[in-house]
Amino acid sequence: MKITGKTKIVGIFGYPIEHTFSPLMHNAAFSALGLDYCYIPFEVQSEDLKSAVEGIRALNIRGVNITVPHKEAVIKYLDELSKEAKLIGAVNTIENKGGKLIGHNTDGRGFIKSLWDDAKTRVNGKSVLLLGAGGASKGVAVSCALEGASEIIIANRTVKRADELVGYLKRNFKKTKFSAIPLDGHELAKGIACADILINATSIGLKGKGLLPISQKDLHRDLVIYDLIYNPQITPLLKIAGRAGVKRAVNGLGMLIYQGALAFQIWTGKNPPVDVMKKAVL
Ligand code: ATR
């Protein structure tokens, strides 16, 4: 990579930031397309977020990704929000359009694209069982509703949190049926039996730790399973899915790549080289 006076800067704000794959993924993509851009990680603590966002304008940074813990807090410093970012209530990509800062959320659409690309599955008309009711789950739920899911059941350890998310979704989407259940017992098993798509958006299984209250006998072969976790690549849920003979079961690597690919497109206006980005992450 050659940095000159003309190089356009993009990057990522987060804390901690050392673990991010995004610089590798984006810089490989810029290089593959011969674009004079450079992607830099910025370690930004919560108390500095406001000045860091002002810095985007001051330094004419072309755009940034936003990661933990700033995805919601950053909204108040932006000029405009995309429809998805507004509905999800979180931003993972900022576009600097001539000094106007526009907040986007490419996580949800990244999930939908990966579900198609990696599991050849569309959400339209399907029944979705979503595990978890945190930020990741909200992004996926909104995207599935936007894509026309017929039903979304949210299962969470803290049922109150699932109830609150369902209430929010009901107020915003009239065509999808929503309900909340506990993340265990008969209701969960029944939910799985009736679902077309099972999505894990909890942190259970991250770094191989923890086990979802789901066993091999609960799964059916035609269920499509999407685990947002990608570390390890064969997550504990995917192991169970393999034993149950589930035909389509994938991890969240594709979502990570597509959320990046969509951000790349927003910043550069070019078609992202998805294969290059995937190779860089792997
Ligand atoms: P994120 O932004 O990644 O979604 P989060 O908002 O902290 O992170 O949400 C984490 C999700 O994983 C929640 O649904 C959480 O359940 P609770 O709402 O009951 O806390 C779920 N989760 C994390 N650890 C869990 C565990 N050991 N058992 C069950 N659910 C767990």
Side-chain angles (χ1 to χ4, degrees), residues 68 71-72 131-139 154-162 183 200-206 209-213 228:
V68 177
K71 286 185 177 185
E72 291 165 17
L131 313 180
S137 179
K138 188 175 182 188
I154 305 209
N156 201 46
R157 173 179 61 183
T158 314
V159 181
K160 188 169 173 280
R161 213 173 167 197
L183 185 70
N200 177 32
T202 72
S203 44
I204 303 175
L206 188 65
K209 287 185 202 139
L211 267 182
L212 284 161
L228 261 57

Side-chain angles (χ1 to χ4, degrees), residues 46-101:
S46 293
E47 59 269 34
D48 298 319
L49 183 61
K50 183 169 188 268
S51 28
V53 174
E54 282 163 0
I56 298 173
R57 281 197 202 89
L59 302 170
N60 195 20
I61 291 173
R62 303 308 164 112
V64 290
N65 283 132
I66 301 291
T67 187
V68 177
H70 307 314
K71 286 185 177 185
E72 291 165 17
V74 78
I75 288 180
K76 55 181 172 293
Y77 307 124
L78 304 178
D79 300 313
E80 227 173 71
L81 290 182
S82 73
K83 177 176 151 196
E84 276 115 341
K86 208 177 281 175
L87 276 168
I88 297 170
V91 160
N92 79 328
T93 303
I94 296 176
E95 172 191 9
N96 181 357
K97 208 172 181 179
K100 188 199 238 182
L101 301 185

Side-chain angles (χ1 to χ4, degrees), residues 22 33 43 49 69 79 102 112-113 119 121 181 185 187 189 201 227 261:
S22 294
L33 296 196
E43 186 183 84
L49 183 61
D79 300 313
I102 305 170
I112 298 291
K113 271 187 163 288
T121 300
I181 61 169
E187 274 188 275
D227 196 340

